[in-house]
Amino acid sequence: MIAIACDHAAIALKNQIIAHLKGRGEALTDCGGFSDKSVDYPDFALKAALLVAKGECTRGILICGTGIGMSIAANKVRGIRCAHCTDEISAAMARQHNNANMIALGARITAHDTALRMVDIFLNTPFSDEPRHAKRVRKIMDIEENRG
């Protein structure tokens, strides 16, 4: 199950991603937004991030104007590693090296066809089995567990 959420700036791209993922046979949970009326992106980032953090969804896709705000908000949730990606290489590395469980995209800065390819790459790329990457992700999780 994949959680997906957006703000008002990204409705069109979210709908394209949903149609694309349904075409792939993916199960989705749409956490909103649902119109182009101005909303606060942290509310929607939180809904999706909590589903991923609780294990109700295995991955999450967040979309706002740039992807920056959504990624910042999602990364405040314990257990989330949300990567703000702007190209196909960063989408692959987010999974392969960082074991990211969420991706944040910018509807105003990323061509829609590129965004669809990035989503596919993010969902299809496994985490590397190289111990160095696991060690680094563990260090990230240790920071989260030990922060004040």
Side-chain angles (χ1 to χ4, degrees):
M1 179 80 67
I2 299 166
I4 188 165
C6 73
D7 71 358
H8 55 278
I11 291 293
L13 181 54
K14 182 187 83 164
N15 289 337
Q16 282 186 311
I17 292 171
I18 288 172
H20 176 73
L21 293 176
K22 284 183 176 179
R24 284 179 36 142
E26 300 284 355
L28 300 164
T29 298
D30 188 346
C31 299
F34 299 105
S35 79
D36 59 2
K37 182 181 176 193
S38 184
V39 295
D40 297 329
Y41 61 82
D43 299 336
F44 300 97
L46 178 61
K47 287 178 186 178
L50 287 173
L51 290 174
V52 174
K54 292 176 184 176
E56 295 175 31
C57 292
T58 56
R59 302 266 176 84
I61 301 166
L62 302 174
I63 319 127
C64 63
T66 63
I68 297 167
M70 285 284 216
S71 67
I72 292 170
N75 279 316
K76 299 299 181 185
V77 175
R78 184 178 297 273
I80 295 301
R81 290 175 307 283
C82 182
H84 172 239
C85 296
T86 57
D87 56 49
E88 295 167 35
I89 294 171
S90 61
M93 293 301 102
R95 284 290 308 135
Q96 190 175 28
H97 290 190
N98 306 115
N99 201 17
N101 51 14
M102 298 189 83
I103 187 172
L105 307 172
R108 293 180 176 151
I109 63 170
T110 305
H112 288 199
D113 59 331
T114 301
L116 295 177
R117 287 193 306 273
M118 289 168 55
V119 165
D120 284 344
I121 289 167
F122 179 74
L123 295 176
N124 294 333
T125 302
F127 180 52
S128 172
D129 60 0
E130 292 184 37
R132 64 188 170 125
H133 298 304
K135 177 183 84 171
R136 292 168 185 159
V137 171
R138 181 72 248 157
K139 285 185 175 192
I140 291 169
M141 301 310 292
D142 287 347
I143 292 169
E144 182 177 82
E145 291 170 15
N146 296 315
R147 68 180 175 195

